[in-house]
């Protein structure tokens, strides 16, 4: 997976939150995960990926979607989707609900320990239904 996020929006069809789908780029191409309208700013959603790993999906107040690995590298628990979101120096992050380390939603880098990171997935929103 990518270490940087590339959020794009399918504007050619006039995508609206109610009809858009959040997709992440996996090894076999783009994978539809959920309707954009199912995401609420400040709250994450966990998604099970085909390889058995989990992604944590988020949307900011501007409507930009993010996806990072859901596994907290400090505890091994699949909990980052349940963390608190915020921003530091205009960088959106999620704080683990367990030990409170903050992870940059765009890059997956831990803001509190530069030697640690989680996967960050390329994300896009497209019009159409979830497959």
């Amino acid at each position: 997976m990518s270490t940087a996020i590339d959020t794009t929006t399918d504007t050619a069809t006039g995508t609206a939150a109610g009809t858009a789908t959040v997709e992440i780029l996996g090894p076999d191409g783009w994978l539809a995960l959920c309707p954009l309208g199912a995401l609420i700013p400040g709250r994450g959603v966990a998604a099970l990926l085909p390889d058995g790993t989990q992604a944590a999906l988020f949307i900011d107040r501007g409507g930009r979607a993010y996806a990072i690995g859901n596994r907290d590298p400090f505890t091994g628990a699949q909990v980052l989707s349940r963390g608190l979101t915020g921003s530091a120096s205009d960088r959106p992050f999620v704080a683990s609900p367990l030990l409170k380390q903050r992870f940059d939603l765009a890059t997956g880098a831990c803001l509190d320990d530069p030697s640690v990171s989680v996967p960050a997935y390329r994300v896009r929103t497209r019009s159409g239904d979830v497959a």
Side-chain angles (χ1 to χ4, degrees):
M1 294 297 141
S2 175
T3 58
I5 199 161
D6 177 25
T7 302
T8 58
T9 303
D10 181 358
T11 55
T13 58
T15 298
T19 61
T21 301
V22 177
E23 299 178 344
I24 66 169
L25 184 59
D28 297 324
W30 290 99
L31 175 66
L33 294 181
C34 73
L36 181 61
L39 299 177
I40 299 169
R43 296 186 181 172
V45 172
L48 182 61
L49 304 179
D51 66 0
T53 62
Q54 294 182 25
L57 307 175
F58 299 91
I59 189 169
D60 65 18
R61 294 188 189 282
R64 183 173 178 180
Y66 298 91
I68 61 172
N70 194 36
R71 184 180 171 276
D72 179 339
F74 293 94
T75 65
Q78 302 283 351
V79 295
L80 293 183
S81 64
R82 299 295 178 219
L84 299 173
T85 60
S87 64
S89 301
D90 292 326
R91 295 172 66 183
F93 69 80
V94 62
S96 172
L98 299 178
L99 300 177
K100 311 303 183 230
Q101 285 88 359
R102 300 169 300 156
F103 296 91
D104 187 310
L105 291 177
T107 67
C110 180
L111 302 179
D112 303 300
D113 183 343
S115 69
V116 178
S117 66
V118 295
Y121 299 92
R122 288 185 61 197
V123 176
R124 70 180 182 186
T125 57
R126 292 183 49 100
S127 64
D129 296 325
V130 173

